[in-house]
Amino acid sequence: MATETLTAERILAATEDVLRLYGPAKATVVDVARALGVSHGSVYRHFRTKAALREAVTKRWLDRTTAELSRIVADGSRSAEDRLALWNVALFTAKRKKAGADPQLFATYEVLLRENSGVVDEHITELVGQLVRIVQDGVDAGDFTPVEGDVEATARAVFDATIRFHDPVYAAEWSKPGIEAEMDALLALLVNGLKRRP
Amino acid sequence: MATETLTAERILAATEDVLRLYGPAKATVVDVARALGVSHGSVYRHFRTKAALREAVTKRWLDRTTAELSRIVADGSRSAEDRLALWNVALFTAKRKKAGADPQLFATYEVLLRENSGVVDEHITELVGQLVRIVQDGVDAGDFTPVEGDVEATARAVFDATIRFHDPVYAAEWSKPGIEAEMDALLALLVNGLKRRP
């Protein structure tokens, strides 16, 4: 292993494994170096601080969700209305899966959230950007009317309105019975609100 | 003071003052008793535990908001659409004022939230109940169509959609510039979603 080139990608993959094992409080750069069979100095040449490494691994993990969602955004075979609902359900499903199946990485994400990390802000900006594209497509197709004529503000309002289903502070509620029905009612209300009036 | 009858109401008023001064972590039942000029045993005769006292004082504080909002709900001179917007703005204003002007009581409320206290659940049930009345009035007047024909689910969806503007976990965002505009866009989207289609 140590003879392979030590890339940032290899370090991040190992960090993800180490975080899964030990969690954000206990995982150290030495653990990551040991998993890779290199010195911790070699890791620090790629990531200058433990915080930088933690941010990079969370960004990589969040980017996987954004990439998944971008396929829904780009699916021109579906109406904007359908994509809006599918996108929200996919985001909820991804977050819920992460909270359940990846609790240690999820905890890392929560640490970054509390630290007001730029990584989380960028993630949110990207998600709202995807919603802007869906809303704009709906407006272009004559299906949607943006609130106050402002597509950006409308996309942000949709994102804010569904915060209970994607903000990790509500993770404990995501396994409650009836949560899907509550989300469906909310999405139906939002889609109604977006639809152009005849 | 000590010669007046020691009522639950007097104890709660004193507890509110003591919590304002010392906060939920440091305030004790002895502080409350001292403020009233009575023994702590007299306080315990009305509230059996510190937790019970803390719950009762938070309930009283939350009930003041609910009472204020109930006047908007009952105002038959306004349309359901106007009342829905006014109610949400009033709730946001009350929560924001509490977070800013009453930080120690707000911290008590946050402690109860984390403890999943019944007091907070009751408060939320009451708020959703008020929204049910507004939505039902809108339906009766022929202005609103409930999502999936379900007024309760629709009211709950409106409450969920505006969670960023009333859940204390977002208190830090409530003083950000632009927050009112974000709320207005969201309310406009929700009212659009409720409006009956011609």
Side-chain angles (χ1 to χ4, degrees):
Chain A
M1 280 289 275
T3 54
E4 284 178 50
T5 314
L6 186 66
T7 58
E9 178 54 31
R10 275 189 64 214
I11 293 172
L12 292 175
T15 306
E16 205 171 295
D17 293 340
V18 166
L19 279 168
R20 275 208 187 87
L21 274 174
Y22 304 125
K26 288 186 185 161
T28 66
V29 174
V30 171
D31 293 324
V32 174
R34 195 186 309 142
L36 290 161
V38 302
S39 71
H40 65 274
S42 311
V43 175
Y44 278 121
R45 267 192 290 281
H46 285 82
F47 299 96
R48 292 184 159 214
T49 61
K50 186 183 165 179
L53 182 56
R54 199 167 56 182
E55 285 208 357
V57 81
T58 309
K59 178 170 164 43
R60 181 172 171 271
W61 186 63
L62 294 173
D63 284 351
R64 287 204 291 266
T65 302
T66 325
E68 226 182 284
L69 294 171
S70 72
R71 281 194 290 274
I72 296 170
V73 176
D75 182 359
S77 75
R78 292 180 192 275
S79 69
E81 178 180 336
D82 284 353
R83 278 183 277 157
L84 192 91
L86 281 172
W87 186 92
N88 273 288
V89 170
L91 177 60
F92 181 46
T93 306
K95 293 271 172 186
R96 189 154 67 159
K97 203 177 122 193
K98 283 181 171 176
D102 255 356
Q104 299 281 32
L105 273 183
F106 201 75
T108 309
Y109 176 39
E110 286 178 306
V111 168
L112 293 181
L113 262 184
R114 277 193 298 275
E115 288 171 357
N116 282 316
S117 156
V119 166
V120 172
D121 287 345
E122 273 168 39
H123 177 57
I124 291 173
T125 302
E126 243 183 292
L127 291 175
V128 175
Q130 293 189 340
L131 282 175
V132 167
R133 279 193 54 199
I134 298 176
V135 173
Q136 186 65 57
D137 283 357
V139 171
D140 293 346
D143 297 334
F144 288 169
T145 304
V147 175
E148 294 153 17
D150 186 336
V151 170
E152 288 261 357
T154 303
R156 175 78 216 197
V158 170
F159 190 74
D160 283 350
T162 53
I163 207 163
R164 185 172 170 232
F165 304 98
H166 53 71
D167 190 321
V169 299
Y170 297 109
E173 296 187 18
W174 295 344
S175 47
K176 280 190 182 166
I179 188 97
E180 283 99 348
E182 286 174 7
M183 190 188 192
D184 288 347
L186 176 53
L187 289 177
L189 180 63
L190 294 175
V191 166
N192 264 351
L194 288 167
K195 271 191 191 156
R196 203 163 78 98
R197 311 230 142 215
Chain B
M1 281 290 275
T3 55
E4 283 177 49
T5 314
L6 187 67
T7 58
E9 178 54 31
R10 276 189 62 214
I11 294 172
L12 292 175
T15 306
E16 204 171 295
D17 293 339
V18 166
L19 279 168
R20 274 208 187 89
L21 273 175
Y22 304 125
K26 289 188 185 159
T28 66
V29 174
V30 172
D31 293 325
V32 174
R34 195 185 309 142
L36 291 160
V38 302
S39 71
H40 65 273
S42 311
V43 174
Y44 279 121
R45 267 193 289 281
H46 285 84
F47 298 96
R48 290 179 161 221
T49 62
K50 187 183 166 178
L53 182 55
R54 200 168 55 183
E55 285 208 357
V57 81
T58 309
K59 178 169 164 40
R60 182 171 170 270
W61 186 64
L62 294 173
D63 284 351
R64 288 206 291 267
T65 301
T66 325
E68 226 182 282
L69 294 171
S70 72
R71 280 194 290 273
I72 296 171
V73 175
D75 182 359
S77 74
R78 292 181 193 273
S79 68
E81 178 179 337
D82 284 352
R83 278 183 277 158
L84 192 93
L86 281 172
W87 186 92
N88 273 289
V89 170
L91 176 59
F92 180 46
T93 306
K95 293 271 172 188
R96 189 155 65 160
K97 203 177 122 192
K98 283 182 171 176
D102 255 356
Q104 299 281 32
L105 273 182
F106 200 75
T108 309
Y109 176 41
E110 286 178 307
V111 168
L112 293 181
L113 262 184
R114 277 193 298 275
E115 288 171 356
N116 282 315
S117 157
V119 166
V120 172
D121 288 345
E122 274 167 40
H123 177 57
I124 290 173
T125 302
E126 245 184 291
L127 291 175
V128 175
Q130 293 190 340
L131 282 174
V132 167
R133 278 192 56 197
I134 297 176
V135 172
Q136 186 65 59
D137 284 356
V139 172
D140 292 347
D143 296 334
F144 288 169
T145 304
V147 174
E148 295 153 17
D150 186 335
V151 170
E152 288 262 355
T154 304
R156 175 78 215 196
V158 170
F159 190 74
D160 283 350
T162 52
I163 208 162
R164 184 171 170 232
F165 303 99
H166 53 73
D167 190 322
V169 298
Y170 297 110
E173 296 187 17
W174 295 344
S175 48
K176 280 190 184 167
I179 188 96
E180 283 99 349
E182 286 173 6
M183 191 189 191
D184 287 348
L186 176 54
L187 290 177
L189 180 64
L190 295 175
V191 166
N192 265 350
L194 289 167
K195 270 190 192 157
R196 202 165 77 99
R197 311 230 142 215

